[in-house]
Amino acid sequence: MKFTFAGLLTFILLFTITFLFGQEPQIINIENRASLTLNGVWKYVVDPYQTGYYDYRRDARDQMSNPSNSESLFLGYKPKDQTERVEYDFDKSDNILVPRDWNSQKEKLFYYEGSVWYYKNFDYPAPAANTRQYLYFGAANYEADVYLNGKKRGKHVGGFTPFNFDITGKLNPKGNFVIVKVDNTRGLEKVPTINTDWWNYGGLTRDVKIVEVAGTFIQDYYVQLAKNDKNTIEVSVILNGPSKANQAITIEIPEANIKASCTTDSEGKAKTMIAAKNLKLWSPENPYLYEVKLIHNNNVLTDKIGFRTLQTKGKEILVNGKPVFLRGICIHEENGIRGGRAYSKEDARLLLGWAKELGCNFVRLAHYPHNENMARVADELGIMVWSEVPVYWTIQWKNSETYNNAHNQLTDMITRDKNRASVIIWSMANETPVSADRTDFIKRMIETTRQLDPVRLVSAALERRSKEGSANTQVVEDPLQEYVDIISFNEYIGWYDGLTEKCKSAEFEIKFDKPVMVSEFGGDALQGNHGSKDARWTEEYQEELFKESVKMLDKIPQLRGMTPWILADFRSPRRLLPNIQDGWNRKGLISETGDKKKAFFVLQDYYKRKKAEYDK
Ligand code: GCB
């Protein structure tokens, strides 16, 4: 073999990309594939000094980074006899549930930020012939080092997106064990950075599975209506495996009498356009989902997919050609009643059920990709979705690693949810301070998004401010307005900016003929705390704020939606006021116990009116 310098560089680059950022390509639609769940009880060891990872000279013990130092500490090694010194024992360690964050399960880990080692053993009796196995994680916050049977399989960075490792041939019929070091330490260079207004829940927060696929299998696909064309389904498929070239793929939608095929190229990719007449279109009023089958070599992968068109025209947002008003609400991925990160279909039904009760046809899933169940349940319930990456406040705009990280999180979010009809907006960021570096950073993200998904709308929650010399006039002065499809901004007039009175005189001046969405407004109220409407923290203040806010915003001619902040109270380490906040951001319309505050009903009324206006 000829060994070139360029070849070596490429190898080093690929190695770095694979082990630092990632990842093997994401396998989508895990829910409908053969799998063994590793959810349930795991063992864990809290390791604040990363003793399992670094030796006393702080050299990595990790076999991959340091092959000569492959000491088996924390890698599942068991002493052979009483002479051996092994300073840990997973079997004797405490239990922890997966999926779930550690903070809400273990009192001693409530505020913990650092490393925790997870351990689980399992049998894998009989893989079917010619199959491959992948170890899949729905998410781990924030970094995960993954080991199978004592050998490192890889590392993943980013707390809210899925990842998988090929473990074909590495499983035994009995006695396998997975060890994962999960580290939720915050960092200036990370995405998000050290400063946020939500709880930094750590752990294996989503499903863990062994997924079994055919030797060559459908790894990824896109099945959606072509841009602005309700009679054409655009399909692309990616095969993974040794025989991926020149393979026939069949797409069937039995209920629509559709059966079509395409053939993969040398990279395993296939594309086709399928004519489709009279499809029942997906909409919030009729969230119709078709069973779609993707077939390769008699292996059938099914999904439930809705079809709808989406575009903006001047100030209108058109879904299936009809103007819509986005009656929305922001949601954090948290179930306050149980405590901790939301992860399950039941959690999704609770949160989206509340949104429905409020009269919403839209939700903003803030400020990071939520678990996949949210978009799937939204598909079923007919709720449109804004999906976001944690490019929040002040991340390091000049740092190329930070960019790569944000780019990976964005790509993984889109890859996972691009077949969900409910998802209509990809959001790039939240309240990022305008500067040339920041705008360049986000413009590059927008370009990536448009390449990956030509149909969905792009936005970002921007900031507004008072116009110079005219305190009442509110303007958005952000060059990103040019590049997004929907101009969205957050405003806290009547909470951080003046009292509710101020809403009466404030006016918005938006220069673009594009739809406007107010992506946040609101104020804190402790549920059950009553008083006059100008007393902060009371339900009455929040009620008044909502009454005045919707009146104020309704005057914006381009207003086509809003997602007030926020559906339910959520935990935040920034919220320190005793007897009121106690570690909770109280801007919820519903308390952490599930009780509705007065403002809930103000918004519900407004949405009834808006619905009637648009149903006409
Ligand atoms: C914001 C942020 C959101 C905060 C909220 C607040 O502007 O986007 O993450 O939680 O304000 O409550 O201050």
Side-chain angles (χ1 to χ4, degrees):
M1 195 172 84
K2 230 173 103 195
F3 205 70
T4 62
F5 184 61
L8 181 68
L9 273 185
T10 315
F11 175 78
I12 292 173
L13 192 73
L14 284 177
F15 187 86
T16 317
I17 290 173
T18 311
F19 290 116
L20 275 187
F21 286 109
Q23 303 127 67
E24 299 175 25
Q26 188 193 138
I27 302 174
I28 69 161
N29 189 10
I30 294 294
E31 180 173 307
N32 291 306
R33 296 179 190 261
S35 66
L36 171 78
T37 181
L38 297 186
N39 289 351
V41 178
W42 289 53
K43 296 289 183 180
Y44 77 105
V45 173
V46 183
D47 185 18
Y49 284 17
Q50 302 205 61
T51 304
Y53 201 72
Y54 297 112
D55 65 16
Y56 82 125
R57 298 288 183 229
R58 210 162 162 88
D59 285 333
R61 297 180 191 275
D62 185 290
Q63 295 161 337
M64 192 172 281
S65 357
N66 197 352
S68 64
N69 196 10
S70 63
E71 198 172 319
S72 46
L73 206 68
F74 284 75
L75 292 180
Y77 185 78
K78 295 193 170 108
K80 287 191 204 65
D81 58 40
Q82 61 179 16
T83 65
E84 275 203 277
R85 180 183 59 81
V86 176
E87 296 190 37
Y88 72 96
D89 187 338
F90 279 114
D91 292 333
K92 294 208 175 88
S93 298
D94 189 16
N95 293 339
I96 193 160
L97 290 176
V98 171
R100 264 193 77 173
D101 60 279
W102 62 57
N103 317 67
S104 68
Q105 287 188 67
K106 305 284 171 188
E107 217 184 327
K108 68 176 179 187
L109 297 182
F110 183 62
Y111 283 109
Y112 183 68
E113 295 186 318
S115 285
V116 171
W117 294 83
Y118 280 74
Y119 170 92
K120 187 171 183 76
N121 52 32
F122 63 98
D123 297 338
Y124 203 81
N130 302 321
T131 56
R132 287 162 68 187
Q133 287 73 36
Y134 280 83
L135 177 54
Y136 161 86
F137 297 85
N141 190 34
Y142 170 88
E143 271 173 29
D145 288 86
V146 178
Y147 304 80
L148 174 72
N149 296 336
K151 290 242 159 53
K152 188 155 189 175
R153 303 298 350 150
K155 180 184 184 77
H156 180 263
V157 175
F160 301 97
T161 40
F163 52 101
N164 41 253
F165 300 105
D166 188 350
I167 53 164
T168 311
K170 315 278 186 225
L171 289 168
N172 306 313
K174 284 200 163 310
N176 300 287
F177 55 98
V178 179
I179 292 174
V180 189
K181 178 173 83 89
V182 185
D183 188 343
N184 69 337
T185 307
R186 285 169 298 133
L188 271 172
E189 76 295 356
K190 296 181 181 176
V191 183
T193 182
I194 52 175
N195 199 20
T196 69
D197 189 20
W198 69 79
W199 208 264
N200 180 23
Y201 289 112
L204 296 176
T205 49
R206 296 183 189 160
D207 292 334
V208 183
K209 291 181 176 186
I210 307 285
V211 182
E212 188 164 291
V213 292
T216 297
F217 67 99
I218 297 172
Q219 168 199 303
D220 193 1
Y221 54 87
Y222 177 83
V223 181
Q224 295 277 283
L225 284 182
K227 182 121 189 130
N228 302 336
D229 181 353
K230 63 180 190 338
N231 296 320
T232 308
I233 298 176
E234 187 176 339
V235 175
S236 62
V237 181
I238 303 179
L239 274 188
N240 179 332
S243 332
K244 64 186 178 189
N246 212 17
Q247 296 289 301
I249 310 278
T250 307
I251 299 100
E252 285 183 21
I253 311 177
E255 212 195 316
N257 282 323
I258 286 175
K259 187 170 177 173
S261 323
C262 48
T263 306
T264 57
D265 62 14
S266 59
E267 289 175 15
K269 294 183 179 164
K271 276 186 190 286
T272 187
M273 294 283 197
I274 306 175
K277 285 265 142 38
N278 303 321
L279 284 176
K280 289 181 210 154
L281 298 182
W282 184 98
S283 69
E285 295 72 38
N286 182 22
Y288 199 81
L289 301 175
Y290 283 92
E291 184 176 75
V292 175
K293 296 183 178 176
L294 294 116
I295 306 161
H296 169 248
N297 263 349
N298 297 326
N299 294 312
V300 184
L301 179 61
T302 60
D303 202 349
K304 289 206 144 179
I305 296 184
F307 298 103
R308 50 103 194 89
T309 63
L310 186 62
Q311 70 185 112
T312 62
K313 204 175 193 177
K315 40 179 123 24
E316 300 300 340
I317 302 170
L318 304 175
V319 175
N320 301 327
K322 261 181 49 193
V324 295
F325 185 87
L326 303 175
R327 307 186 309 267
I329 190 75
C330 288
I331 303 184
H332 258 300
E333 190 190 41
E334 194 176 69
N335 177 341
I337 296 178
R338 182 199 53 234
R341 276 252 166 276
Y343 55 84
S344 62
K345 282 226 158 118
E346 292 68 40
D347 291 338
R349 289 191 204 290
L350 174 82
L351 297 168
L352 296 175
W354 280 335
K356 273 241 130 170
E357 216 184 315
L358 190 56
C360 294
N361 61 2
F362 180 62
V363 291
R364 174 180 177 214
L365 303 183
H367 284 298
Y368 37 76
H370 286 212
N371 67 87
E372 190 172 345
N373 294 314
M374 287 295 271
R376 286 197 179 263
V377 173
D379 257 14
E380 282 170 26
L381 296 180
I383 298 182
M384 296 177 280
V385 170
W386 157 306
S387 205
E388 186 162 302
V389 284
V391 174
Y392 183 89
W393 290 353
T394 54
I395 64 167
Q396 291 185 342
W397 308 111
K398 293 184 194 175
N399 184 334
S400 62
E401 294 235 329
T402 303
Y403 180 80
N404 291 340
N405 183 344
H407 175 273
N408 282 341
Q409 296 195 45
L410 176 71
T411 305
D412 282 336
M413 170 178 81
I414 296 173
T415 301
R416 194 193 68 185
D417 287 346
K418 64 186 175 300
N419 292 307
R420 306 281 74 82
S422 55
V423 177
I424 61 162
I425 297 171
W426 301 122
S427 164
M428 306 292 105
N430 180 74
E431 289 186 352
T432 50
V434 178
S435 76
D437 291 320
R438 162 288 200 172
T439 299
D440 177 60
F441 189 111
I442 296 180
K443 263 172 69 183
R444 286 157 67 203
M445 289 173 66
I446 294 176
E447 277 156 27
T448 299
T449 305
R450 298 211 188 274
Q451 273 164 18
L452 291 172
D453 185 345
V455 172
R456 286 184 180 78
L457 308 177
V458 173
S459 198
L462 308 179
E463 292 185 306
R464 56 90 218 180
R465 62 181 192 79
S466 297
K467 194 174 173 175
E468 225 146 284
S470 164
N472 284 338
T473 311
Q474 303 299 311
V475 287
V476 180
E477 283 177 344
D478 190 322
L480 279 180
Q481 289 178 101
E482 289 251 353
Y483 306 98
V484 292
D485 298 307
I486 299 186
I487 296 181
S488 307
F489 59 86
N490 301 348
E491 63 84 7
Y492 282 90
I493 299 173
W495 185 255
Y496 294 123
D497 178 357
L499 297 171
T500 55
E501 244 338 86
K502 185 161 181 181
C503 299
K504 294 198 167 113
S505 52
E507 280 175 1
F508 288 82
E509 208 178 83
I510 307 288
K511 297 229 174 75
F512 289 79
D513 184 33
K514 290 187 180 186
V516 165
M517 205 196 94
V518 179
S519 34
E520 284 180 30
F521 69 85
D524 292 61
L526 177 66
Q527 188 271 323
N529 183 27
H530 295 289
S532 80
K533 62 183 187 188
D534 49 14
R536 295 254 183 190
W537 317 110
T538 62
E539 286 196 38
E540 286 70 18
Y541 188 104
Q542 192 190 36
E543 182 185 34
E544 179 70 7
L545 178 60
F546 269 71
K547 280 186 188 160
E548 290 303 332
S549 298
V550 296
K551 264 194 247 161
M552 168 182 73
L553 299 175
D554 238 355
K555 290 187 226 145
I556 304 174
Q558 303 97 319
L559 187 78
R560 291 299 177 271
M562 57 173 70
T563 50
W565 192 254
I566 185 172
L567 182 68
D569 290 353
F570 61 97
R571 281 202 187 276
S572 167
R574 297 169 63 85
R575 305 296 170 174
L576 306 170
L577 186 67
N579 302 328
I580 299 282
Q581 294 178 316
D582 298 314
W584 292 87
N585 183 313
R586 294 288 180 204
K587 293 188 189 70
L589 297 177
I590 300 176
S591 71
E592 82 279 19
T593 51
D595 296 298
K596 297 182 179 86
K597 306 179 193 172
K598 288 180 143 193
F600 182 96
F601 302 100
V602 176
L603 191 63
Q604 194 182 45
D605 270 2
Y606 173 73
Y607 282 164
K608 266 188 209 141
R609 275 187 279 130
K610 271 314 213 204
K611 181 168 184 327
E613 207 180 288
Y614 274 75
D615 281 352
K616 262 194 257 156

